[in-house]
């Protein structure tokens, strides 16, 4: 009997991205959870993408612990990549009760810092959210500073 060769993690990530667009979150979580068990030989970039896709798919299913674990690992692999930080901020916004203020602030500060490099509407949105968290933390000067960093061209 022939045994079926398991697809590579890279192929699973490619399929997961398409499935995410189609809203097939459970399928993505199941396939990537299984695929990430055997990472040997996979490139770190591929592992990062798999973890971000896994975290992204787990969110709408309410599987917050899985999302948090996947995103935490993705951020530890590449602390300067934007996607995992963006999804971490999204996760924090969905949790009830939300994580501690310091934890939310740290994630949002990192996301805003990375988004600023890219500029545009993404940064304007991040800076606005960051200003809100600073106000919650009773740091109005930081809130104003975050908003001051938005360029007019970022919100056109």
């Amino acid at each position: 009997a022939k045994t079926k060769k398991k697809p590579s993690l890279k192929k699973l990530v490619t399929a997961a991205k398409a499935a995410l667009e189609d809203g097939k979150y459970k399928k993505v979580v199941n396939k990537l959870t299984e695929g990430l068990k055997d990472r040997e030989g996979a490139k770190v970039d591929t592992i990062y993408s798999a973890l971000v896709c896994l975290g992204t798919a787990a969110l709408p299913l309410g599987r917050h612990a899985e999302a948090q674990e996947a995103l935490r690992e993705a951020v530890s692999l590449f602390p300067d990549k934007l996607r995992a930080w963006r999804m971490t901020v999204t996760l924090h916004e969905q949790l009830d009760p939300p994580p501690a203020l310091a934890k939310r602030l740290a994630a949002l500060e990192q996301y805003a810092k990375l988004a600023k490099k890219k500029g545009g509407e993404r940064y304007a949105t991040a800076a606005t959210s960051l200003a809100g968290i600073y106000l919650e933390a009773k740091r109005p000067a930081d809130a104003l500073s975050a908003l001051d960093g938005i360029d007019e061209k970022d919100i056109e």
Side-chain angles (χ1 to χ4, degrees), residues 97-110:
L101 185 61
K103 188 174 187 176
R104 289 184 292 143
L105 188 55
L108 202 44
E109 283 176 331
Q110 182 65 14

Side-chain angles (χ1 to χ4, degrees), residues 31-53:
K31 293 279 187 188
L32 290 179
T33 300
E34 191 59 35
L36 282 163
K37 287 179 183 174
D38 181 21
R39 306 171 182 204
E40 199 170 316
K43 290 182 179 177
V44 180
D45 280 354
T46 303
I47 294 169
Y48 173 85
S49 293
L51 290 164
V52 173
C53 286

Side-chain angles (χ1 to χ4, degrees), residues 87-98:
M87 291 313 302
T88 299
V89 168
T90 301
L91 170 67
H92 289 172
E93 290 169 349
Q94 291 183 13
L95 291 176
D96 186 23

Side-chain angles (χ1 to χ4, degrees), residues 39-135:
R39 306 171 182 204
E40 199 170 316
K43 290 182 179 177
V44 180
D45 280 354
T46 303
I47 294 169
Y48 173 85
S49 293
L51 290 164
V52 173
C53 286
L54 176 58
T56 302
L59 274 180
L61 298 173
R63 293 164 73 167
H64 297 128
E66 287 172 79
Q68 200 161 13
E69 187 179 321
L71 294 170
R72 187 179 305 123
E73 187 177 345
V75 160
S76 72
L77 287 175
F78 287 104
D80 291 335
K81 282 197 175 191
L82 195 66
R83 281 188 321 155
W85 284 110
R86 184 181 72 231
M87 291 313 302
T88 299
V89 168
T90 301
L91 170 67
H92 289 172
E93 290 169 349
Q94 291 183 13
L95 291 176
D96 186 23
L101 185 61
K103 188 174 187 176
R104 289 184 292 143
L105 188 55
L108 202 44
E109 283 176 331
Q110 182 65 14
Y111 172 58
K113 181 177 112 182
L114 294 170
K116 186 169 188 152
K117 290 178 185 174
K118 299 208 182 260
E121 191 176 328
R122 181 182 298 160
Y123 174 66
T125 303
T128 303
S129 296
L130 183 58
I133 295 277
Y134 279 139
L135 288 174

